[in-house]
Each structure stands twice: as structure tokens, then as C-alpha cells.
Amino acid sequence: MATFLYRLGRFSFRKRHVVALFWVALLALAGAGAAGAPAAGNSSFSIPGTEAQKAFDLLDERFPGASADGATARVVFKAPDGQKMTDPGNKAAVQETVDELSGGAEVAQVSDPYQGGGVSQDGTIAYASVTYKVPGMELEETSREALQAAAEDARDSGLTVEIGGDALQAVPETGSAEIIGIGVAAVVLVITLGSLLAAGLPLLTAIVGVGIGVATITALASTLDLGSTTSILASMIGLAVGIDYALFVVSRYRAELAEGREREEAAGRAVGTAGSAVVFAGLTVVIALVGLSVVNIPMLTKMGVAAAGTVAVAVLIALTLIPAVLGYAGRRVRPAGEKSKLLGGGRAKDKADRPNMGTRWASFVVRRPLAVLLLGIVGLGAAAVPAGSLELGLPDDGSQPTSTTQRRAYDLLSDGFGPGFNGPLVVVVDAQGSDDPQAVFRQAGDEIKALDDVVNVAPAAPNKAGDTATIAVIPDAKPSSAATEDLVHDIRAAGAGIKDDTGADVLVTGATAMNIDVSQKLNDALVPYLVLVVGLAFLLLIVVFRSILVPLKAALGFLLSVLAALGAVVAVYQWGWLSGLMGVEETGPIMSMMPIFMVGVVFGLAMDYEVFLVTRIREAHVHGEKPSQAVVTGFRYSARVVTAAAVIMIAVFSGFIGSSDSMVKMIGFGLAIAVLFDAFVVRMTLVPAVLALLGAKAWWLPKWLDRALPNVDVEGESLAVHDRAADKDDEDKELVRA
């Protein structure tokens, strides 16, 4: 592989015009497709194989035209102090609002609060439910504007009016913090590379890669039903790895220049060595992201595949566009150790022979490996303690900031009708094979009423055929509570008894039941996912490092860092520690998709640092250095760059903490803290300690396996052989001339 990538790097350097034109054309093509595509909305949500999804599909079949998947809105009214919603003036204002909403082209139905029991017992709060004919992602902007205008007209009459539901869901915004993250990345690149131009190259190429990836996702969003969150997460991951991969290649290029190589040769060798590490690091990220498909949640699969595609683009750009732009930069990119005059270059060095920070740190760890190892494990273990209290759920309007109308509507409904009113359960009774469907409906309603934590059970509402009915159940507790989850399981248990008696199916659905089923499905999928992803990556790392213990150490270190990161997420978003600093207005259960998504992404990124760091160590060991000295040598050449890459990735991920979307906010924090733990505690601390303790045993590989494995030559040994052969030829020529 090193030889092929070496040739690719030289070709890209030499044919820079062709390579640059290709990537610019690809960016323009993707941009044109994105410009002409419909805007992305919120991806449709389905959970194949769950009871909630089965009930939802049954509703579509048995209640045609009911718009079961249509957008919904709850317009909540509160009377002024001292008044009731039943007062004539307030009643007239509400009726006028209902009439105004009913005229919408996409509106399927609007409930009248005074005819459907939509007024609270104390008479101060009322609500009207609006059902639309199309899902929220397909709702026209004019329908949203009409909904807001109707609410504003009601406010003019003196009422407090707020709107809940998914009809007003907007495309999440990442805020200015993302720009700050990129700014921090730029500063780190300048400090690391010692040149404004060299620092600009990774940023430029990463932006090109993210632009291609996100534009392609935008162009295909409507066709493939990709939600707006998909492009945000793809840009988050693509930008981070794009900068890092480019940084590794540029750094190796400068190191090759420092050894006196010509620029085209240096570009070829940078791609042949650092580029090999980029390929395998990118493969681990892609495996982790594509592996999310084993969960069998379409939305999560699409997010993973889209992000993986962006990572693949970042790898290709690092291998081709980076050497091309290095060719354009020419002598303005200086060898390692030299700085531009603007940054202090040309000044005399006071301590030219002083070991760098990476060398000093590795030497310290190698001298005290056991103490460092124990301290690191204890620290990560302490950070992981909160993960034992992890509670999973999906966000609802109750997790929105208090400044939003959705959150204020949620709070008003809780005050007027109880906390469980925001999470009603829909029980679907399929009595198609029963002799007396009406009796089955009554039996189901009576048994549900007898359960604990039930506030209200509405009369069964059968379809036109009379063989299927829905029963609305209001829990006593809020949607995300353990009591509501227990109630769902109790209803399903009662339904199993009804099926045994009558043969009728009793299914529970609704947003709350769907959330519970999602959490369970994700919990069940976590172990198979870990086995698949870690197993495949373990095999890949055996090929890369030609060792059993090094990949095993890498996997165990990842588990430590991801558990510690989950502990930090629980402490902030569930327990409320530092919630004000992180902009968390409402603590509660952790997003159901957060752990498995974070596991996938963090595993890929953790293997990035493992590959970049340990390949340098193995390269030194392969070239004859003793194990402990190889660790120090590897850190001397790679610690600075790995540290810079980690800081950049933390900065980019932290930028997304300012997003208006709670899922993006939480994932941004989780990935940032996970990279912090993995890069600085696991890879920079535990890895050298373990390698120092293992010594030469770290590189043990059974002989039969060594013969069976392909030689991918990540360290560039074939290039070294090429050098020795070239030197021998030069010596022979000198002898002939003599």
C-alpha cells in the first residue's frame, strides 16, 4: 500500500492542476444539486419490529384518511388572571381561532376545546388540537405561518397563547460557537505548523470535503428522506477528521523536507507513510458509522452512512488534494522546525538540542509505567461512575428551552391537565377476528382503567368497519418518567391476557410508547453492535500492527474512554452538573440514540489516534530500536501532531454545543469530552505505559498468522528498501567511475 500511495502522492503533486480541477468540479456539481433540491426537513421516524410501529401501521391500514403520520399542533390558551376560558369573550376568541385554523389547505381536522373536553377543571386553560394531512417535514411554510398568525390574533384579544407539537419544528441551528471552534482549530494549526499558509491548507481542504459531503446530502435529502440533523452531524464529523487527516499528511511532508528530500519526493513519501495511516484510520471510522445499520433504525442508519460518506471524502482529499495544494504552495511551506518570519522564523534558537515535550513526556511514562497506568485507569473509572445511572429516552417539548413556545405550551398543559397529558398513550384494539368487537373494546377499556398511574381512559373510538378501535390513555406521570414506562408494560401485559381470552390484539403506540420501544431496541442492539464494530476493527488493526496485544489494548482503552465520556454526559445532561455553563435548561433522560451513536463515532476516532501514534512507534521498532526507545521516538515525531489534532477535534465538536437542537448539542458535548479522555488519557498516557510494560511482547504475533496476513506496509518499509536499493546503485556507479 505504501508504494501505491507514494506514487499517488507524487502524481497528485505533479499533476496538481488536474487534481485541483477535479475536486473543484465535484464541489460545483454537488453545490448545483443542493441548490436545486427541496429543503431538508425532519426525517420520517419508523422503528421496524416494535409494537409501537406495528400499531402505527395498523392505524394507517384501518383508519384511512386519518392522517396518522400527519403533523400535529396543540394551540394552548390561558385566560387572563381572574378570568375563565368559559367566559363569553374568551370563548368567542377561541372559536374564532378554531375557525381560522380550519380553513388551512393542509389542515385535516381542528378540535373544538368546548366540545371535546379541552378545558381544564379550573377553567383557566384550554387547548385545540390541529391535525395536518402531511408529515411535519412536508408541511408548507405557509401552513406554519398561518398557525402562528392565528395564535397571534388570539393574543391580541388578551389571551396567553402558545403552540406545541411537531408542526413548528424548525431546522436546527448550530450557532456562532461552530465558527469559534473553527477559529480555535486555525490557531492550533498555525502554532503546530509554524506557518499561516501551511495552517490554511488543512482548513481549506477540510472545508472542501465537508462542502462536497453536505451538498450531496442536501441534494439527496428529499429523495432518501434525510433529515436536517443528518447534514449537521456529517459536517461535524467530516470537518473534524478532514482537518486531522490533512494535518497528519502536511506534518509528515514538512518532516520529509527537513530530511533534505525534494518537494515532489517529500509529498510522495508523506502520502505513502502518513497517508497509509489515514486510510486505515478512516476505514475504522467508516466501519463504526456504517455498522450503525445493525440497530435497524432507518434514521440512525442514514445518519451513519451519510457521515461515513463524508469521512471517505476526507480520506480521498488527504491523499490527493493535499499533495496537489502543497505543489501550489511550493517553498512557502517550510520544513519541520522552521517558522515563517511572521511567526518568529529566522531567529537564533537558544536551546536547539532540547528534547520536545513529546519526548520528555514519553520518557517520564516509560520510567514509571505502572504508576501512570494505575492513575489513568482510576481517573477514567471515577469519571465513568455516573454512567451507572444512565436513563434513556427521546426528547419532547419538555426538553426544549423555556424561551420557546413549544416548551411554554408543554408547561401550560401540565399545569392545567397534569404532567401525563403531554404524553398520551394510544391503545389500538384489533378485534377483526372476534365475534363481539364492542365487548372486546369495553373489556380493554375496563382493564386499563384498573391499572395504577392512569388518570383518564377515553371511550373506545372504532373505525367505520367496527373491527378496530383506538383508546386514548392519559398517564399520571410525565412522558419520560419510569412510572409511565411501567404503565406501558402493564397495558401490554393486560393486552396479552385479552388476546388469550378473545383472540384480539391490543397494541400500545403514540410518541411516548415509541420512545420506550426505541430505547429498548437500542439497548438490545448495543452489545451486538460493539461485537461487530470492535471485532472488525480488531481484525483490521491486527493487519496494520501485525500484533495481537496492541489491538487488544486499543479496544480496552476505547471502552474506558467511552464509559468515562458517558459518565460525563450523564453528570451534565441528566444530573445537571455544570448545566448552566453548557446551556442545558432542562435535565432529563439521555437521548436514546446518544450512547450507540457516540460509541460508533468515538471508536472510529479513537482508532485514528491509535493508528497515527502507534504506527510511528512500530516504525521505529521495525527499524531496529529497542521497545522503550521506540516509544520515545514515536512520541518525539507524533505527539505534537496528535495533540494538535485532538485539540482541533475537541474545538470543532464543542462548537456544536451551541446548537438549538438538543440531540446535536448533546452529541457535540459527548464527542468533545470523549476525544479529550481518549486522546490525552488513553492514547497519550495509557498506551506508552502499556507498551513500556509489555516490551517486545507487544509486537508478538503467531508465525502462522504472520504468514497468513497480507503485508499492508503502513510504516513505509518498502520505501526504505527502495532507498537502500537506490543508495546501493549510487555506490556501484561511483565504484565504476573510480
Side-chain angles (χ1 to χ4, degrees):
M1 175 177 285
T3 303
F4 168 75
L5 293 178
Y6 164 77
R7 292 170 180 166
L8 178 63
R10 294 196 62 168
F11 171 83
S12 300
F13 186 96
R14 191 168 55 252
K15 302 291 185 181
R16 62 187 73 104
H17 302 309
V18 175
V19 173
L21 182 62
F22 168 80
W23 285 109
V24 170
L26 194 59
L27 178 61
L29 182 64
N42 296 293
S43 178
S44 58
F45 194 77
S46 64
I47 315 294
T50 62
E51 179 175 317
Q53 186 64 46
K54 182 180 178 182
F56 189 83
D57 295 339
L58 186 64
L59 286 174
D60 269 347
E61 176 189 338
R62 303 286 175 84
F63 292 81
S67 303
D69 62 343
T72 59
R74 274 180 171 175
V75 183
V76 187
F77 308 89
K78 182 180 180 182
D81 291 341
Q83 297 184 25
K84 302 283 188 182
M85 287 306 304
T86 51
D87 294 345
N90 294 334
K91 193 172 182 178
V94 171
Q95 190 61 56
E96 185 176 338
T97 303
V98 170
D99 293 341
E100 184 177 348
L101 290 170
S102 299
E106 293 182 310
V107 174
Q109 183 180 5
V110 182
S111 68
D112 188 327
Y114 303 100
Q115 296 180 6
V119 181
S120 63
Q121 284 188 346
D122 62 5
T124 60
I125 297 173
Y127 74 92
S129 294
V130 185
T131 304
Y132 291 87
K133 300 174 184 177
V134 296
M137 65 173 295
E138 300 174 13
L139 202 61
E140 296 287 343
E141 190 59 35
T142 53
S143 295
R144 293 191 176 93
E145 292 172 355
L147 179 60
Q148 292 171 317
E152 193 59 42
D153 291 342
R155 291 189 187 105
D156 292 340
S157 68
L159 297 174
T160 298
V161 186
E162 305 296 346
I163 305 171
D166 63 353
L168 288 185
Q169 281 185 350
V171 175
E173 300 174 356
T174 55
S176 59
E178 181 184 357
I179 299 174
I180 296 174
I182 296 175
V184 172
V187 172
V188 173
L189 286 169
V190 171
I191 294 172
T192 304
L193 299 176
S195 164
L196 291 174
L197 179 63
L201 297 183
L203 280 175
L204 172 65
T205 55
I207 290 171
V208 170
V210 169
I212 292 172
V214 172
T216 303
I217 291 170
T218 304
L220 299 174
S222 180
T223 304
L224 301 181
D225 189 23
L226 303 176
S228 53
T229 305
T230 303
S231 60
I232 293 178
L233 294 176
S235 67
M236 178 195 302
I237 296 167
L239 188 63
V241 301
I243 294 175
D244 278 7
Y245 294 166
L247 171 62
F248 283 111
V249 174
V250 173
S251 298
R252 188 61 184 251
Y253 171 76
R254 296 178 70 235
E256 296 292 339
L257 289 179
E259 293 182 9
R261 304 191 191 279
E262 294 296 326
R263 294 188 176 272
E264 182 178 330
E265 178 70 10
R269 288 180 174 275
V271 176
T273 52
S276 297
V278 165
V279 169
F280 282 98
L283 271 176
T284 59
V285 180
V286 169
I287 288 172
L289 291 170
V290 174
L292 291 169
S293 59
V294 303
V295 183
N296 195 26
I297 295 179
M299 187 179 79
L300 191 61
T301 300
K302 293 171 186 175
M303 287 166 54
V305 171
T310 308
V311 171
V313 171
V315 171
L316 293 175
I317 281 181
L319 300 178
T320 57
L321 186 57
I322 281 292
V325 295
L326 287 172
Y328 284 117
R331 297 187 181 277
R332 284 167 290 188
V333 175
R334 300 170 182 270
E338 293 187 16
K339 295 182 179 180
S340 65
K341 292 181 179 179
L342 182 63
L343 298 173
R347 299 175 186 172
K349 296 182 180 180
D350 298 330
K351 300 179 181 179
D353 296 329
R354 183 182 178 185
N356 62 21
M357 181 65 75
T359 302
R360 297 198 299 274
W361 173 249
S363 299
F364 169 79
V365 174
V366 166
R367 288 196 304 270
R368 302 170 181 83
L370 187 59
V372 170
L373 179 64
L374 292 176
L375 185 62
I377 291 175
V378 169
L380 289 176
V385 168
S389 302
L390 178 67
E391 296 177 8
L392 298 179
L394 286 178
D396 54 22
D397 287 345
S399 61
Q400 297 268 16
T402 53
S403 59
T404 62
T405 186
Q406 291 97 327
R407 172 61 186 277
R408 291 196 293 264
Y410 181 97
D411 291 340
L412 285 175
L413 288 171
S414 294
D415 293 341
F417 300 90
F421 193 79
N422 283 294
L425 305 175
V426 179
V427 179
V428 182
V429 184
D430 179 9
Q432 193 173 53
S434 174
D435 296 331
D436 189 356
Q438 291 297 328
V440 175
F441 301 155
R442 287 193 298 271
Q443 180 182 349
D446 292 340
E447 293 199 18
I448 294 171
K449 286 178 184 177
L451 297 174
D452 294 333
D453 298 315
V454 173
V455 171
N456 184 56
V457 178
N463 61 350
K464 289 183 179 179
D467 57 8
T468 308
T470 60
I471 301 174
V473 180
I474 306 298
D476 183 45
K478 64 180 183 179
S480 58
S481 68
T484 300
E485 181 175 351
D486 291 341
L487 176 60
V488 170
H489 294 314
D490 290 343
I491 295 175
R492 287 173 173 169
I498 294 172
K499 182 176 178 62
D500 292 338
D501 294 340
T502 66
D505 283 325
V506 178
L507 308 172
V508 185
T509 188
T512 302
M514 188 74 80
N515 291 354
I516 292 169
D517 287 353
V518 169
S519 299
Q520 186 61 50
K521 191 177 181 72
L522 289 166
N523 279 336
D524 294 343
L526 186 57
V527 172
Y529 173 71
L530 275 173
V531 171
L532 173 69
V533 172
V534 176
L536 287 175
F538 181 77
L539 295 176
L540 183 65
L541 291 179
I542 289 177
V543 174
V544 173
F545 296 129
R546 307 193 77 77
S547 164
I548 297 292
L549 296 179
V550 171
L552 181 61
K553 164 197 60 64
L556 293 176
F558 153 73
L559 291 176
L560 274 174
S561 59
V562 80
L563 285 173
L566 278 175
V569 170
V570 170
V572 173
Y573 289 90
Q574 188 175 309
W575 291 1
W577 294 4
L578 302 177
S579 57
L581 181 63
M582 296 298 167
V584 181
E585 295 190 26
E586 184 72 20
T587 60
I590 302 305
M591 195 100 43
S592 296
M593 283 185 255
M594 172 68 185
I596 198 165
F597 188 83
M598 191 173 79
V599 163
V601 176
V602 172
F603 181 79
L605 300 180
M607 295 307 104
D608 277 4
Y609 299 120
E610 181 77 13
V611 169
F612 289 129
L613 191 61
V614 179
T615 47
R616 265 296 197 174
I617 295 173
R618 187 174 187 276
E619 184 177 342
H621 179 68
V622 167
H623 291 165
E625 293 189 10
K626 293 181 179 179
S628 58
Q629 183 56 42
V631 171
V632 176
T633 301
F635 268 69
R636 180 169 71 247
Y637 289 114
S638 60
R640 179 184 177 90
V641 179
V642 169
T643 299
V647 172
I648 289 168
M649 200 167 280
I650 291 168
V652 172
F653 288 150
S654 297
F656 289 85
I657 297 174
S659 172
S660 61
D661 186 277
S662 57
M663 181 175 179
V664 174
K665 181 193 293 283
M666 192 180 295
I667 288 178
F669 172 79
L671 293 182
I673 199 71
V675 170
L676 176 68
F677 288 146
D678 195 86
F680 293 106
V681 181
V682 175
R683 308 303 154 189
M684 301 291 287
T685 304
L686 301 187
V687 164
V690 172
L691 290 178
L693 288 171
L694 291 175
K697 295 177 183 177
W699 310 108
W700 172 80
L701 186 70
K703 292 183 179 180
W704 64 268
L705 185 57
D706 187 37
R707 291 191 298 269
L709 291 177
N711 184 11
V712 295
D713 189 22
V714 177
E715 297 83 12
E717 178 64 18
S718 59
L719 301 182
V721 172
H722 178 269
D723 278 350
R724 290 193 290 270
D727 292 342
K728 182 69 166 56
D729 289 343
D730 290 342
E731 291 176 5
D732 291 344
K733 289 176 182 178
E734 288 294 331
L735 288 173
V736 169
R737 282 195 291 268

